[in-house]
Amino acid sequence: MFTTERTTLAQHLAAQCRDLPDAADLPALLLDVALACKYVAKAVATGSLGGVLGSADTINVQGETQKTLDVLSNDLFLRQAEWGGHLAALASEEMEDPHPIPAHYPCGRYLLVYDPLDGSSNIDVNVAVGSIFSVLRAPGDGTPADEAAFLQPGTAQMAAGYALYGPSTMLVLTVGRGVHGFTLDPLVGEFILTHPAMTIPADTCEFAINASNSRFWEAPVKRYVEECLAGRSGPRAKDFNMRWIASLVADVHRILVRGGIYLYPRDNKDPDKPGRLRQLYEANPVAFLVEQAGGRASTGTARLLDVVPTTLHQRIPLIFGARHEVERIDGYHAAQPEAALDTPLFNTRSLFRVAT
Ligand code: MN
Ligand code: MN
């Protein structure tokens, strides 16, 4: 049915930020980010025809091979967000150090940190990918910011969100006033409010975890998943389904739309990586959205948003979604803190002591 009763992203942001303290520039910045997402959506949609698939034959700071689209998407974010006078620096998964604002543009009061293309290993097989972003206040007032400026806990975020490049392109964001979802109208080129006030039910019978890592999981997570798998005849007395898209944005979006729980827990696969996901541009924005939607986000032993990062590309365990389920897993951690990283050979009570 045709209607003129549509709320655009610009209208929505104006209304949400009007009386938000210290947020006068926030709508303009978020509209620049939204434009970057539209450009990425366009590049993603051309697929093989646009020559954007495949590897860029370069390695990023994480030691991962960059895809052509990782590099292109990062540049699109830089070009759309650096000129407006809103930012004191930008940082991303694809750049080792923060990107300073070029001298010919004014320096602003916010920081933008982002994952320009999340789930990029999915791109060659034409499965949904996304972009994730987080906005922080810059400590200085209009002065350039360095890496230390970004090392703020998730509670300090002013805004966070993601774009999902699926069958339709969506933008989902929060400025601390609930979570709202927009669908791109490709003919008008506008994001239109289609999913106001998204919420995550407190209970669920769907969980998402990469089960191939099960031998590396910490004991409380093993217990939780085993109880889910035991289904109706186990201690939970109900059957669970498993979902795993291997694209964080798509997994988050499913949970915001129909509920569930997601785990990328601490494991002992690689002692240098206590978690897989990056705190500043993956876990923090996701946790902010999840809490704003009534869910809960945890590392297993702490509220995720309270953790103070020590490096720009820090990794962190992430468990989020249905509030009662995350509370249950936190409870399992509290009940067996000693066994948190139990393995047959390397634990505190075994022959081979782990230095701590
Ligand atoms: Mn990612
Ligand atoms: Mn990425």
Side-chain angles (χ1 to χ4, degrees):
M1 192 177 74
F2 192 84
T3 173
T4 55
E5 304 276 311
R6 295 282 198 219
T7 302
T8 65
L9 178 64
Q11 288 172 324
H12 170 88
L13 289 173
Q16 287 234 312
C17 298
R18 199 165 281 142
D19 57 348
L20 206 62
D22 212 17
D25 294 345
L26 199 53
L29 171 61
L30 292 173
L31 289 173
D32 290 342
V33 171
L35 182 55
C37 294
K38 286 189 254 187
Y39 275 114
V40 177
K42 184 182 158 193
V44 167
T46 61
S48 283
L49 297 176
V52 296
L53 302 192
S55 169
D57 293 324
T58 47
I59 307 286
N60 71 8
V61 60
Q62 330 283 340
E64 299 159 346
T65 304
Q66 290 176 305
K67 301 273 185 182
T68 305
L69 262 175
D70 287 323
V71 178
L72 178 67
S73 306
N74 188 57
D75 287 347
L76 287 166
F77 267 77
L78 288 180
R79 296 295 94 83
Q80 294 312 320
E82 69 180 1
W83 62 273
H86 312 304
L87 293 174
L90 300 87
S92 107
E93 177 179 29
E94 305 302 337
M95 303 183 292
E96 183 162 6
D97 300 312
H99 171 85
I101 301 302
H104 52 285
Y105 296 130
C107 190
R109 297 154 59 230
Y110 300 123
L111 302 170
L112 179 68
V113 55
Y114 59 97
D115 177 354
L117 199 68
D118 175 68
S120 59
S121 63
N122 279 339
I123 194 70
D124 290 345
V125 291
N126 203 12
V127 169
V129 292
S131 304
I132 316 176
F133 58 89
S134 164
V135 178
L136 296 161
R137 254 187 211 94
D141 217 358
T143 53
D146 58 7
E147 172 171 350
F150 286 87
L151 304 182
Q152 306 181 38
T155 47
Q157 293 173 101
M158 293 206 67
Y162 61 82
L164 174 63
Y165 314 113
S168 57
T169 293
M170 288 195 67
L171 186 74
V172 175
L173 54 79
T174 183
V175 295
R177 295 186 160 179
V179 178
H180 307 283
F182 302 79
T183 303
L184 181 64
D185 181 333
L187 290 181
V188 183
E190 281 284 354
F191 281 108
I192 306 294
L193 181 64
T194 50
H195 294 61
M198 301 172 85
T199 55
I200 301 172
D203 295 293
T204 186
C205 50
E206 264 184 16
F207 69 98
I209 192 165
N210 182 351
S212 69
N213 288 328
S214 60
R215 67 190 184 281
F216 303 115
W217 292 339
E218 46 189 358
V221 169
K222 281 183 183 162
R223 175 185 171 189
Y224 176 78
V225 173
E226 275 165 18
E227 290 180 1
C228 290
L229 294 175
R232 200 179 304 239
S233 55
R236 301 299 305 275
K238 63 175 182 177
D239 290 336
F240 282 76
N241 261 323
M242 203 191 89
R243 293 284 182 275
W244 181 257
I245 305 174
S247 172
L248 175 63
V249 167
D251 280 307
V252 172
H253 190 67
R254 182 190 63 254
I255 287 171
L256 279 169
V257 169
R258 70 171 198 196
I261 181 170
Y262 174 104
L263 304 93
Y264 215 122
R266 186 189 323 269
D267 64 38
N268 58 12
K269 193 175 181 177
D270 178 347
D272 293 335
K273 295 177 183 171
R276 171 82 176 85
L277 298 169
R278 272 57 60 101
Q279 182 177 357
L280 282 169
Y281 42 84
E282 291 180 319
N284 277 355
V286 166
F288 190 17
L289 289 162
V290 165
E291 285 201 2
Q292 284 292 313
R296 183 173 164 116
S298 167
T299 65
T301 53
R303 179 189 178 209
L304 193 129
L305 290 178
D306 285 335
V307 178
V308 181
T310 53
T311 63
L312 192 58
H313 299 286
Q314 180 159 331
R315 295 173 190 262
I316 193 167
L318 174 61
I319 298 166
F320 71 84
R323 189 163 47 83
H324 291 161
E325 295 297 309
V326 179
E327 282 168 1
R328 173 182 288 270
I329 296 168
D330 286 350
Y332 289 1
H333 280 88
Q336 36 183 171
E338 284 296 301
L341 264 178
D342 225 358
T343 65
L345 287 178
F346 297 90
N347 69 56
T348 50
R349 291 178 303 277
S350 79
L351 208 53
F352 307 97
R353 280 179 167 268
V354 177
T356 50

